[in-house]
Amino acid sequence: MRARCQCPRPGNAPRECRTIRQIAAFPYRTEATSPDGVIRVLLVTSRASGRWVIPKGNIGGGAKPHVAAAQEAEEEAGVLGAICPTPLGSFRYRKKRGSGASLMVDVDVFPLAVTQELQSWKEQPERQRRWFTLSEAAAAVDEPDLRDLIRSFSPAEFRAAARRGAGIPEKSKVAPMFAWFQRLLPRTGNFFEMFEAHARTVTAGAEAMARLMEADGTARAEHITEVIEREHDADEITRDVLQTVRKTFLTPFDRGAITSLVGAMDDTIDEMQAAAAAIDLYQVSDFAPEMRDMTAIIVDAARLTAEAMPLLRNVAQNGARLHELTERLVRMEGQADDIHAAGLRRALADHGNSDTLRFVVEREIYKHLERIVDAFEDVANEIDGIVIDHA
């Protein structure tokens, strides 16, 4: 967390003690299936200096912070996508004002999974945009805090952070002598590869859900088909895991933990398929803002799950970072519950008396979206259980 003003009454604090607050989008996309280097981030040039930055700006008109960040991404970088309402973090920089003063600005950053790049956009004549690898982007920006934030998106940096960090849970259900003996035993079965493959499939399904929320016509049907196909792919991996558990004498974790983890992951994409099927059945083409927000949370939850899987290869070393990732998943589930409730209230107010059928349909879609997020919380709980047992 960045430092904040310590005045006892911030609303009545002297003007020079108030920190300016802004929002920013972190536009990213995945381009590979390997654990490292899977993510690229989109940077734009600033209008004044031409340096590389992420799309950012002020919150105006009473808009929600993540909605304002998405608007900045569309206007400055010409990209659309699913933006998670839970901020990734924040960074701080000094902004030169017209008066000559250089004032501190705190910027909350929201991850944006890009689903569409526009050919023309509002600030296109004034800016350049370019996709960078995470290491290239970190080197291109000037702000040290933003540089660290970009690096934190990399699985390799997650592992480095875990090596530097602390806070691994102290409680363990495994006796120290048994844990030591277990580490000496040979391990067989390609469980880690299957976990990672399943997580990539879940991520692809979540991204298809996000595109579905933005699509129309034929494209909508194609995204529904992709979600269904991804669910079938995940089922194949799940079957492979269960068969391998039965055939393998020595496993990296308790057999119950292995089957519970892959089962929880499979539940996430099963619920995505159920949501896509409901959208197809009821021919839903207009999605409320709360539905889009919940889908954005799903996309980011899938990304966090995919980045947690490689860390399970060495739980003792990566326990701290795994715990951080699962804590974020749990926080996101809590925020999704609030968004779900707000969406139902909106649907009831808009359609409860005038169009009961539409209210029932929207309630059904919200139910499926909530179940997806709940399934990701179950994944977080399974990962936490492994960390407690083996860290």
Side-chain angles (χ1 to χ4, degrees):
M1 295 292 292
R2 305 254 56 89
R4 298 286 186 260
C5 170
Q6 299 300 313
C7 295
R9 299 178 63 191
N12 295 324
R15 182 173 299 276
E16 64 273 10
C17 196
R18 296 175 187 167
T19 302
I20 302 171
R21 299 200 61 81
Q22 290 185 328
I23 44 79
F26 190 93
Y28 72 92
R29 69 185 184 194
T30 56
E31 293 191 340
T33 57
S34 61
D36 296 305
V38 300
I39 297 173
R40 286 184 179 268
V41 58
L42 185 68
L43 300 182
V44 297
T45 53
S46 66
R47 287 183 292 190
S49 63
R51 60 190 178 87
W52 291 106
V53 296
I54 57 176
K56 66 180 186 299
N58 300 315
I59 306 174
K64 295 178 181 178
H66 69 288
V67 174
Q71 184 67 32
E72 294 296 334
E74 180 178 355
E75 293 180 359
E76 295 185 8
V79 290
L80 305 174
I83 189 158
C84 182
T86 306
L88 175 67
S90 64
F91 71 95
R92 171 170 284 189
Y93 76 103
R94 287 197 173 274
K95 182 178 180 65
K96 193 80 170 181
R97 308 291 286 182
S99 64
S102 182
L103 302 181
M104 192 67 73
V105 180
D106 280 336
V107 186
D108 291 325
V109 181
F110 297 86
L112 171 69
V114 174
T115 58
Q116 183 180 356
E117 292 185 56
L118 303 177
Q119 295 304 309
S120 60
W121 61 97
K122 182 177 180 180
E123 298 185 14
Q124 183 178 13
E126 305 169 89
R127 300 180 187 269
Q128 299 179 46
R129 69 179 181 185
R130 183 187 304 171
W131 287 100
F132 292 81
T133 64
L134 292 172
S135 59
E136 291 170 346
V141 299
D142 290 343
E143 298 84 358
D145 289 347
L146 178 56
R147 190 176 301 126
D148 290 342
L149 202 62
I150 292 172
R151 287 172 176 161
S152 76
F153 229 68
S154 165
E157 287 293 332
F158 284 166
R159 290 191 282 275
R163 286 194 293 270
R164 294 191 298 268
I168 298 175
E170 295 179 358
K171 295 182 179 179
S172 175
K173 300 175 184 176
V174 180
M177 181 59 70
F178 178 76
W180 170 81
F181 177 69
Q182 188 182 49
R183 285 193 289 269
L184 297 180
L185 294 174
R187 294 177 180 179
T188 58
N190 56 339
F191 294 105
F192 298 116
E193 289 84 352
M194 289 187 286
F195 287 153
E196 291 162 19
H198 198 295
R200 290 194 296 269
T201 304
V202 169
T203 301
E207 291 173 348
M209 284 287 298
R211 291 191 292 273
L212 172 58
M213 291 283 171
E214 303 291 339
D216 54 17
T218 305
R220 186 183 305 116
E222 291 174 349
H223 297 317
I224 290 172
T225 300
E226 181 179 358
V227 173
I228 294 170
E229 290 176 349
R230 298 293 186 180
E231 191 275 336
H232 294 335
D233 292 343
D235 280 347
E236 290 291 335
I237 298 170
T238 301
R239 280 192 287 270
D240 289 343
V241 171
L242 298 179
Q243 290 172 2
T244 305
V245 165
R246 290 195 296 269
K247 297 175 182 178
T248 303
F249 180 67
L250 297 174
T251 58
F253 311 128
D254 178 80
R255 295 171 191 274
I258 291 173
T259 57
S260 294
L261 175 58
V262 76
M265 292 170 63
D266 204 49
D267 286 344
T268 65
I269 196 156
D270 285 347
E271 294 297 345
M272 290 181 206
Q273 183 195 36
I279 291 169
D280 187 32
L281 174 64
Y282 298 118
Q283 293 295 292
V284 180
S285 58
D286 183 20
F287 299 96
E290 290 82 4
M291 293 181 186
R292 298 175 192 271
D293 287 349
M294 292 183 72
T295 303
I297 286 178
I298 290 165
V299 172
D300 207 43
R303 177 186 66 82
L304 293 175
T305 300
E307 296 195 356
M309 290 303 107
L311 303 183
L312 292 176
R313 292 174 179 266
N314 191 336
V315 177
Q317 180 173 295
N318 299 321
R321 184 57 194 175
L322 283 165
H323 189 60
E324 292 174 8
L325 296 178
T326 57
E327 279 190 339
R328 178 172 169 83
L329 283 169
V330 172
R331 288 198 304 271
M332 290 164 65
E333 191 277 336
Q335 186 167 12
D337 282 346
D338 294 338
I339 296 170
H340 173 239
L344 285 179
R345 285 194 294 269
R346 176 200 289 267
L348 183 61
D350 291 348
H351 313 299
N353 294 324
S354 59
D355 192 345
T356 304
L357 178 59
R358 179 167 179 177
F359 168 73
V360 171
V361 169
E362 291 199 2
R363 183 177 62 181
E364 180 77 3
I365 303 303
Y366 278 119
K367 178 186 72 176
H368 288 297
L369 294 175
E370 182 187 30
R371 286 178 176 175
I372 299 170
V373 182
D374 288 346
F376 276 112
E377 184 182 28
D378 292 339
V379 172
N381 292 335
E382 295 297 335
I383 294 172
D384 269 340
I386 292 172
V387 171
I388 291 172
D389 284 352
H390 296 275

